[in-house]
Amino acid sequence: MTNTTDWKAALNSEKDFKDFITDYFQKHEELTGNYENSSYYEYYTVRLDSRDGLIITLTTGLNTTGNTGMSPIPFKDVEKLSIEQFRQLILHKKFADMHTSLADVFKTVAGVPDAVNE
């Protein structure tokens, strides 16, 4: 993963942040992550599209318990936002841990529980 301080320094400039994100996704096809507990799961994928900007795909569902043999159908949501919209979201969030990684930021912006406090 790219150095934690690199993306934080790039936040100060729209151009620097766009260059950083573009460079990041040239080196990494996509960023994936997940969160799961005994009753709930969430998987996300972030990729960069030259036309639509950042595309965040979030799949959520319930883990089945018991012997019913039936599992609920997962819910899939796709969000599109520009790199600048993403930068603004980050600027308006509070990241208490100075060692937060870019992956943690994506998880927090996507609303994954306890993303920063893991």
Side-chain angles (χ1 to χ4, degrees), residues 14 17-19 21-22 48 52-54 81-88:
E14 181 178 347
F17 192 70
K18 182 177 182 180
D19 291 346
I21 293 294
T22 302
L48 182 62
D52 292 327
L54 292 168
L81 63 152
S82 70
I83 294 172
E84 178 57 15
Q85 288 171 320
F86 181 62
R87 185 177 84 93
Q88 290 300 317

mmCIF file of all heavy atoms in Angstrom, residues 14 17-19 21-22 48 52-54 81-88:
data_model
loop_
_atom_site.group_PDB
_atom_site.id
_atom_site.type_symbol
_atom_site.label_atom_id
_atom_site.label_comp_id
_atom_site.label_asym_id
_atom_site.label_seq_id
_atom_site.Cartn_x
_atom_site.Cartn_y
_atom_site.Cartn_z
ATOM 1 N N GLU A 14 -6.411 19.885 -5.007
ATOM 2 C CA GLU A 14 -7.282 19.102 -5.883
ATOM 3 C C GLU A 14 -6.454 18.361 -6.937
ATOM 4 O O GLU A 14 -6.653 17.171 -7.184
ATOM 5 C CB GLU A 14 -8.307 20.021 -6.555
ATOM 6 C CG GLU A 14 -9.269 19.299 -7.461
ATOM 7 C CD GLU A 14 -10.318 20.209 -8.074
ATOM 8 O OE1 GLU A 14 -10.475 21.362 -7.632
ATOM 9 O OE2 GLU A 14 -10.986 19.753 -9.025
ATOM 10 N N PHE A 17 -4.256 15.537 -5.341
ATOM 11 C CA PHE A 17 -5.060 14.386 -4.939
ATOM 12 C C PHE A 17 -5.497 13.585 -6.169
ATOM 13 O O PHE A 17 -5.441 12.357 -6.166
ATOM 14 C CB PHE A 17 -6.273 14.822 -4.115
ATOM 15 C CG PHE A 17 -6.967 13.667 -3.451
ATOM 16 C CD1 PHE A 17 -6.379 12.988 -2.402
ATOM 17 C CD2 PHE A 17 -8.210 13.247 -3.894
ATOM 18 C CE1 PHE A 17 -7.012 11.903 -1.797
ATOM 19 C CE2 PHE A 17 -8.858 12.175 -3.292
ATOM 20 C CZ PHE A 17 -8.250 11.499 -2.242
ATOM 21 N N LYS A 18 -5.893 14.286 -7.219
ATOM 22 C CA LYS A 18 -6.281 13.594 -8.453
ATOM 23 C C LYS A 18 -5.101 12.807 -9.011
ATOM 24 O O LYS A 18 -5.242 11.651 -9.407
ATOM 25 C CB LYS A 18 -6.801 14.585 -9.503
ATOM 26 C CG LYS A 18 -7.246 13.909 -10.768
ATOM 27 C CD LYS A 18 -7.833 14.874 -11.764
ATOM 28 C CE LYS A 18 -8.308 14.100 -12.986
ATOM 29 N NZ LYS A 18 -8.895 14.963 -13.983
ATOM 30 N N ASP A 19 -3.914 13.421 -9.009
ATOM 31 C CA ASP A 19 -2.708 12.732 -9.480
ATOM 32 C C ASP A 19 -2.412 11.512 -8.606
ATOM 33 O O ASP A 19 -2.062 10.448 -9.121
ATOM 34 C CB ASP A 19 -1.501 13.673 -9.476
ATOM 35 C CG ASP A 19 -1.597 14.764 -10.533
ATOM 36 O OD1 ASP A 19 -2.448 14.657 -11.457
ATOM 37 O OD2 ASP A 19 -0.821 15.741 -10.432
ATOM 38 N N ILE A 21 -4.549 9.693 -6.716
ATOM 39 C CA ILE A 21 -5.549 8.634 -6.922
ATOM 40 C C ILE A 21 -5.342 7.965 -8.283
ATOM 41 O O ILE A 21 -5.401 6.737 -8.403
ATOM 42 C CB ILE A 21 -6.983 9.194 -6.796
ATOM 43 C CG1 ILE A 21 -7.258 9.634 -5.349
ATOM 44 C CG2 ILE A 21 -8.013 8.190 -7.274
ATOM 45 C CD1 ILE A 21 -7.293 8.500 -4.335
ATOM 46 N N THR A 22 -5.087 8.757 -9.306
ATOM 47 C CA THR A 22 -4.850 8.201 -10.639
ATOM 48 C C THR A 22 -3.635 7.282 -10.628
ATOM 49 O O THR A 22 -3.676 6.162 -11.150
ATOM 50 C CB THR A 22 -4.662 9.338 -11.668
ATOM 51 O OG1 THR A 22 -5.829 10.166 -11.654
ATOM 52 C CG2 THR A 22 -4.440 8.788 -13.070
ATOM 53 N N LEU A 48 -11.194 2.836 -10.467
ATOM 54 C CA LEU A 48 -11.215 4.135 -11.139
ATOM 55 C C LEU A 48 -11.583 3.926 -12.595
ATOM 56 O O LEU A 48 -10.983 3.107 -13.286
ATOM 57 C CB LEU A 48 -9.851 4.812 -11.022
ATOM 58 C CG LEU A 48 -9.732 6.202 -11.632
ATOM 59 C CD1 LEU A 48 -10.664 7.189 -10.942
ATOM 60 C CD2 LEU A 48 -8.289 6.690 -11.543
ATOM 61 N N ASP A 52 -16.356 7.764 -15.447
ATOM 62 C CA ASP A 52 -17.237 7.928 -14.292
ATOM 63 C C ASP A 52 -16.514 8.271 -12.984
ATOM 64 O O ASP A 52 -17.154 8.511 -11.981
ATOM 65 C CB ASP A 52 -18.058 6.650 -14.062
ATOM 66 C CG ASP A 52 -19.050 6.420 -15.179
ATOM 67 O OD1 ASP A 52 -19.565 7.409 -15.737
ATOM 68 O OD2 ASP A 52 -19.311 5.245 -15.503
ATOM 69 N N GLY A 53 -15.209 8.265 -12.968
ATOM 70 C CA GLY A 53 -14.473 8.545 -11.733
ATOM 71 C C GLY A 53 -14.384 7.302 -10.868
ATOM 72 O O GLY A 53 -14.235 6.191 -11.367
ATOM 73 N N LEU A 54 -14.479 7.486 -9.573
ATOM 74 C CA LEU A 54 -14.402 6.360 -8.638
ATOM 75 C C LEU A 54 -15.721 5.615 -8.624
ATOM 76 O O LEU A 54 -16.783 6.218 -8.503
ATOM 77 C CB LEU A 54 -14.074 6.858 -7.231
ATOM 78 C CG LEU A 54 -12.679 7.429 -7.065
ATOM 79 C CD1 LEU A 54 -12.561 8.151 -5.731
ATOM 80 C CD2 LEU A 54 -11.627 6.341 -7.168
ATOM 81 N N LEU A 81 -18.577 8.564 -7.958
ATOM 82 C CA LEU A 81 -18.282 9.927 -7.573
ATOM 83 C C LEU A 81 -16.948 10.341 -8.172
ATOM 84 O O LEU A 81 -16.084 9.507 -8.434
ATOM 85 C CB LEU A 81 -18.291 10.110 -6.057
ATOM 86 C CG LEU A 81 -17.304 9.377 -5.196
ATOM 87 C CD1 LEU A 81 -17.053 10.205 -3.947
ATOM 88 C CD2 LEU A 81 -17.879 8.051 -4.762
ATOM 89 N N SER A 82 -16.822 11.626 -8.384
ATOM 90 C CA SER A 82 -15.582 12.138 -8.957
ATOM 91 C C SER A 82 -14.489 12.091 -7.886
ATOM 92 O O SER A 82 -14.762 11.972 -6.692
ATOM 93 C CB SER A 82 -15.763 13.578 -9.436
ATOM 94 O OG SER A 82 -15.900 14.452 -8.320
ATOM 95 N N ILE A 83 -13.253 12.193 -8.336
ATOM 96 C CA ILE A 83 -12.134 12.213 -7.391
ATOM 97 C C ILE A 83 -12.255 13.427 -6.475
ATOM 98 O O ILE A 83 -12.009 13.329 -5.280
ATOM 99 C CB ILE A 83 -10.791 12.200 -8.147
ATOM 100 C CG1 ILE A 83 -10.634 10.868 -8.893
ATOM 101 C CG2 ILE A 83 -9.623 12.433 -7.202
ATOM 102 C CD1 ILE A 83 -9.448 10.799 -9.836
ATOM 103 N N GLU A 84 -12.697 14.553 -7.007
ATOM 104 C CA GLU A 84 -12.849 15.748 -6.168
ATOM 105 C C GLU A 84 -13.977 15.568 -5.154
ATOM 106 O O GLU A 84 -13.854 15.997 -4.003
ATOM 107 C CB GLU A 84 -13.080 16.996 -7.023
ATOM 108 C CG GLU A 84 -13.298 18.265 -6.220
ATOM 109 C CD GLU A 84 -12.183 18.625 -5.236
ATOM 110 O OE1 GLU A 84 -11.055 18.083 -5.315
ATOM 111 O OE2 GLU A 84 -12.431 19.477 -4.365
ATOM 112 N N GLN A 85 -15.072 14.933 -5.541
ATOM 113 C CA GLN A 85 -16.139 14.656 -4.568
ATOM 114 C C GLN A 85 -15.612 13.765 -3.453
ATOM 115 O O GLN A 85 -15.920 13.978 -2.291
ATOM 116 C CB GLN A 85 -17.330 13.969 -5.255
ATOM 117 C CG GLN A 85 -18.139 14.874 -6.140
ATOM 118 C CD GLN A 85 -19.161 14.098 -6.961
ATOM 119 O OE1 GLN A 85 -18.887 13.007 -7.459
ATOM 120 N NE2 GLN A 85 -20.350 14.670 -7.096
ATOM 121 N N PHE A 86 -14.787 12.777 -3.805
ATOM 122 C CA PHE A 86 -14.194 11.899 -2.807
ATOM 123 C C PHE A 86 -13.260 12.683 -1.890
ATOM 124 O O PHE A 86 -13.275 12.520 -0.671
ATOM 125 C CB PHE A 86 -13.451 10.751 -3.498
ATOM 126 C CG PHE A 86 -12.828 9.787 -2.543
ATOM 127 C CD1 PHE A 86 -13.601 9.053 -1.648
ATOM 128 C CD2 PHE A 86 -11.456 9.602 -2.529
ATOM 129 C CE1 PHE A 86 -13.022 8.164 -0.763
ATOM 130 C CE2 PHE A 86 -10.876 8.713 -1.653
ATOM 131 C CZ PHE A 86 -11.657 7.993 -0.764
ATOM 132 N N ARG A 87 -12.456 13.570 -2.457
ATOM 133 C CA ARG A 87 -11.547 14.407 -1.653
ATOM 134 C C ARG A 87 -12.338 15.252 -0.666
ATOM 135 O O ARG A 87 -11.981 15.366 0.507
ATOM 136 C CB ARG A 87 -10.691 15.290 -2.569
ATOM 137 C CG ARG A 87 -9.643 16.109 -1.811
ATOM 138 C CD ARG A 87 -8.781 16.900 -2.777
ATOM 139 N NE ARG A 87 -9.380 18.143 -3.154
ATOM 140 C CZ ARG A 87 -9.155 19.309 -2.530
ATOM 141 N NH1 ARG A 87 -8.332 19.383 -1.522
ATOM 142 N NH2 ARG A 87 -9.753 20.400 -2.956
ATOM 143 N N GLN A 88 -13.447 15.826 -1.132
ATOM 144 C CA GLN A 88 -14.272 16.647 -0.249
ATOM 145 C C GLN A 88 -14.886 15.807 0.875
ATOM 146 O O GLN A 88 -14.980 16.267 2.015
ATOM 147 C CB GLN A 88 -15.370 17.366 -1.043
ATOM 148 C CG GLN A 88 -14.852 18.462 -1.961
ATOM 149 C CD GLN A 88 -14.118 19.548 -1.200
ATOM 150 O OE1 GLN A 88 -14.551 20.000 -0.144
ATOM 151 N NE2 GLN A 88 -12.988 19.981 -1.740
#
